Amino acid sequence: MAMAAAIEVEATPIEVKKGEVVPADKDKEPKVASAGVRGMLNYADGWDYLASTIAALLFCGFGVTMVSFLFFLKPFFTDISASESSGGGLPMSTVNFMASSLALLAAGQFALVFPAMAVAYVSAARQKRAWQKGVVKSILRQEVGWFDVSKPEELTSKVSSSVALIVRGLEGPSYGLFIAVGGVCTGLIGGFLENYEISLVVLAMVPVLAMAIAILVYTMVTGSRDQSKAYGTAGGYASEALFAMRTIAALGLESEFVKKYSENLATARKVTIGGRAKLGFATGLLFSSFILLQGVGFMYGGLTFSAEMKRSEYDYKMNRSVPVPGMPGVMTTVEMHWCAHANNTPANVSINAPCEAPLKPLRMNCQLANLFSMF
């Protein structure tokens, strides 16, 4: 978005010293303040604002769908856990529900993304045309003296690259912020409704993720700006050579222009390599921070669940009255020991005797109690 300030009019700065006007150091270029979103939308009309609003809302909805599928996974994994503990199979009703839910979710994402990308790209194309016309008009309105200090040979590459960067900020992929807003809001609401403690722990890691995002955005903005500037200088020598080809040939300056062009291309290559390396580092930092955030949430949730199971578990045995074989109407009390495998999966019942190896006493907990209540 900061690329809206990329199209600028360069002027020679001046310093006032003892009443004299003296040209400042030409190597020091004045910093141009970013025009922000308002500057990027300088040529947007009412339709473009409406299209941007519609696209933003649709992309927010898309962000909601990207996170909401997690809510369908909870009953699915709950049924899988219950099936494994009981030794049975997964009910087909659960599979059908999961498949139909994901199919509806996919249809909803298509219905949201298709019109969102369409209106965003149409609006961007309209504004791109207006930007190109506006830039040409602004250049033609300058006085003749402006061209002596503004490196006109670099205008072609600078204008084309700057307009391309502005349009890139207006197109569909730039609405990723709204996708993130929709996904974050959905995740926070669902997380706090499910378990507020885990949600607070995850929120504590958000500053790390925010820092990684800030580094990535800064790297992308500065890298594109430096790369455009470096290649603009090299392109300026090429444009100057093409427009003054007869003069250069007559004076035998071909090798001099080739040398300058090659030197600036080498500088541009170094800038590009350095920028891509920084971008790779920032991207890796972002993804690793995201995984770290999830890891902290899973770790805290697992420890909480494990502690809950430990607090609630005990050796499961009970006394029950059973009829005495061969003696109708006579009951006796027996002690039933529930036995389990090494992973605490129910195996069998031992009467009036402890479980025999390799089985061990079943450790009843709140999860197994919910399972036993189903039978």
Side-chain angles (χ1 to χ4, degrees), residues 85 338-342 344-350 355 359-360 362 372:
S85 299
W338 287 75
C339 303
H341 298 287
N344 206 41
T345 302
N348 57 28
V349 177
S350 177
C355 300
L359 300 179
K360 65 176 185 177
L362 175 69
F372 277 43

Side-chain angles (χ1 to χ4, degrees), residues 30-213:
K31 292 184 178 180
V32 180
S34 173
V37 179
R38 181 176 298 181
M40 187 175 64
L41 298 175
N42 189 49
Y43 292 98
D45 55 17
W47 191 94
D48 293 316
Y49 281 111
L50 177 62
S52 299
T53 303
I54 293 174
L57 293 175
L58 291 174
F59 278 116
C60 279
F62 176 59
V64 172
T65 61
M66 291 185 67
V67 178
S68 59
F69 84 95
L70 295 174
F71 300 107
F72 300 119
L73 293 179
K74 180 182 177 181
F76 180 73
F77 285 112
T78 300
D79 291 344
I80 289 179
S81 177
S83 300
E84 289 182 350
S85 299
S86 62
L90 183 65
M92 283 304 300
S93 58
T94 302
V95 177
N96 292 334
F97 173 78
M98 192 68 184
S100 58
S101 299
L102 291 179
L104 290 175
L105 197 61
Q109 289 184 349
F110 176 80
L112 290 170
V113 174
F114 175 68
M117 295 292 285
V119 295
Y121 274 103
V122 170
S123 176
R126 285 164 47 89
Q127 294 178 70
K128 178 181 180 181
R129 180 173 177 273
W131 267 104
Q132 290 172 333
K133 293 170 59 177
V135 169
V136 173
K137 289 180 180 180
S138 298
I139 294 174
L140 294 179
R141 283 199 299 263
Q142 304 300 320
E143 296 180 357
V144 177
W146 176 82
F147 293 91
D148 296 332
V149 297
S150 300
K151 300 178 182 179
E153 67 276 3
E154 298 181 10
L155 287 177
T156 302
S157 58
K158 180 177 291 187
V159 167
S160 60
S161 60
S162 299
V163 172
L165 290 174
I166 294 172
V167 175
R168 190 184 303 172
L170 297 170
E171 293 176 342
S174 63
Y175 287 85
L177 173 64
F178 298 98
I179 299 177
V181 169
V184 168
C185 291
T186 305
L188 287 177
I189 294 173
F192 276 100
L193 290 176
E194 186 66 29
N195 190 308
Y196 74 92
E197 293 181 352
I198 298 178
S199 299
L200 290 176
V201 171
V202 173
L203 279 179
M205 295 296 298
V206 168
V208 177
L209 183 62
M211 182 181 66
I213 294 175

Side-chain angles (χ1 to χ4, degrees), residues 307-329:
E308 183 180 351
M309 294 298 104
K310 288 292 184 182
R311 288 193 302 267
S312 64
E313 68 179 17
Y314 58 93
D315 288 348
Y316 189 49
K317 58 184 179 180
M318 66 176 65
N319 294 326
R320 176 172 294 182
S321 297
V322 296
V324 178
M327 301 179 64

